Amino acid sequence: MTTLIEGKTVAQKIFDNLAHEISLLEKKPSLAVIIVGDDPASKIYVNLKKKKAHELGITSQVIELDESVSEQELLKKIDSLNNDPAVNAILVQMPLPEHINPVNVIEKINPLKDVDCFHPYNIGRIATGNKSYVYPCTPKGIFRLLDFYNIPVEGKHAVVVGRSNIVGRPLAQMLLNENATVTICHSRTKNLSEITKTADILISAAGCPALIKKDMVKDGAVVIDVGINRKSDGKLCGDVDFENVKEKASFITPVPGGVGPMTICSLMCNTMDLFKLQN
Ligand code: NDP
C-alpha cells in the first residue's frame, strides 16, 4: 500500500491555522520583498508570495529596484529594512543581476529578519546542531510533511540527492540533527543507484527528470521528490519516475502538489516565527 503525500492539502491546513492565529493578533506580521530587475519568473514568484501573505493577513511590501541598481544602493535599502521595527521579515528575490554579489546581499540581512534562512549565521546554527531563528523553506517544508504523515526520521538511512545551499545541504544537516544516518549524493557520485537502494528515506533535489527509477529504490522506502522540471509538452515533472516508483514506495510525493506548496507555506510560517521572536 502506497500513501500519496499530499503537500497541497497539508499546506492548506497549515495556512488555515496560521490565518486564524494572525486574525487574533492586534499587530500583524510584516514581510518585505525586494526584487531587482524584470525577470518574468521572479516577478511571478514575488506576486505569489505577496498574494499568499495578503490572504493570511500578513502585511507585505514589494520593493522593486531597477536592474541597474548598484550593490551599494541595494545594501543600503536592506539596512533601512533591518532598522525598521515595522518590518519583521526580509526576502531578496534571487537571482540578482550579475554585477551584484549575492553573498554580500545575504550577509547584509539581519539574521533575525532572514526569512529565507540563507544567512550564514542561521545556516551555521543548523550546521552546528543548534536551534536556529528559522529554517530553510524547502527543507522545513519536507519536515512538515514527514511530521504530518508520522514518518519517523531517527535511526533511518536518509539519502539526499543534491547539495545546493538552499535544499540539499541544509536538508542533510536537519536530518542529521534529527538523528538520521545521512548520505549526500551529487553529480560526481559514483554508483548512485547502489546508494539510493539503501535509503529508507530517499529525497531527490537534483533537477533531473526521471533520475530516480524503480530499480534504484528499496521496497517500502519513503520517496520525496523536490525536483521541478518542465517536460517537452510543457507539463511539470519531478526527479522521480513517479508512475513506476510508486509501486515500490511506502510514501511518495507527487509533482506538482507535493513539496512545492510546502515551500511557500514555510516562508509564511517563518514570517510568523520572526514576528514572534521580535515581539
Ligand atoms: P541546484 O542546481 O542548485 O542543485 C542541484 C544538485 O543536484 C547539485 O548538487 C548537483 O550536483 C546535483 N545533481 C544534478 N544532477 C545530478 C545527477 N544526475 N545525479 C546526482 N546529482 C545530481 O538545484 P536546487 O537545489 O536549487 O534545486 C533542485 C531541484 O529542486 C530543481 O528542480 C528545482 O527546480 C527544485 N526546487 C524545488 C523547490 C520546491 O519548492 N519544490 C524549491 C527549490 C528547488 P553538483 O553539486 O555536483 O552540481
Side-chain angles (χ1 to χ4, degrees), residues 138 161-164 166-168 185-188 192 205-208 211 226-229 239 259-260 263:
T138 304
V161 184
R163 56 174 167 179
S164 72
I166 61 165
V167 189
C185 301
H186 46 78
S187 68
R188 319 284 168 88
L192 180 65
C208 293
L211 175 68
V226 183
I228 302 179
N229 311 297
D239 291 351
V259 175
T263 298

Side-chain angles (χ1 to χ4, degrees), residues 248-261:
K248 272 183 130 176
S250 56
F251 291 86
I252 189 166
T253 58
V255 176
V259 175

Side-chain angles (χ1 to χ4, degrees), residues 35-40 42-43 64-69 95-97:
I35 176 167
V36 181
D38 293 318
D39 178 54
S42 292
K43 285 200 159 182
E64 295 185 43
L65 300 177
D66 195 81
E67 179 90 21
S68 65
V69 72
L96 290 165

Side-chain angles (χ1 to χ4, degrees), residues 134-246:
V134 280
Y135 292 85
C137 294
T138 304
K140 183 67 188 180
I142 293 168
F143 267 85
R144 287 182 208 279
L145 289 177
L146 296 173
D147 270 358
F148 187 87
Y149 286 89
N150 292 315
I151 299 168
V153 165
E154 181 161 328
K156 303 288 179 198
H157 183 206
V159 173
V160 178
V161 184
R163 56 174 167 179
S164 72
N165 285 337
I166 61 165
V167 189
R169 255 170 229 269
L171 176 62
Q173 303 280 8
M174 288 161 70
L175 288 160
L176 186 63
N177 292 348
E178 293 303 319
N179 301 315
T181 301
V182 183
T183 304
I184 307 177
C185 301
H186 46 78
S187 68
R188 319 284 168 88
T189 298
K190 295 202 167 85
N191 302 326
L192 180 65
S193 69
E194 293 307 313
I195 300 169
T196 57
K197 261 194 280 193
T198 66
D200 302 309
I201 301 173
L202 175 58
I203 306 176
S204 185
C208 293
L211 175 68
I212 307 296
K213 301 192 171 58
K214 189 176 170 182
D215 62 0
M216 297 169 72
V217 177
K218 183 165 90 172
D219 266 327
V222 174
V223 180
I224 308 285
D225 192 352
V226 183
I228 302 179
N229 311 297
R230 208 165 277 283
K231 290 192 283 193
S232 50
D233 62 4
K235 288 193 181 145
L236 293 181
C237 69
D239 291 351
V240 175
D241 175 8
F242 179 84
E243 284 310 320
N244 292 310
V245 170
K246 80 169 196 277

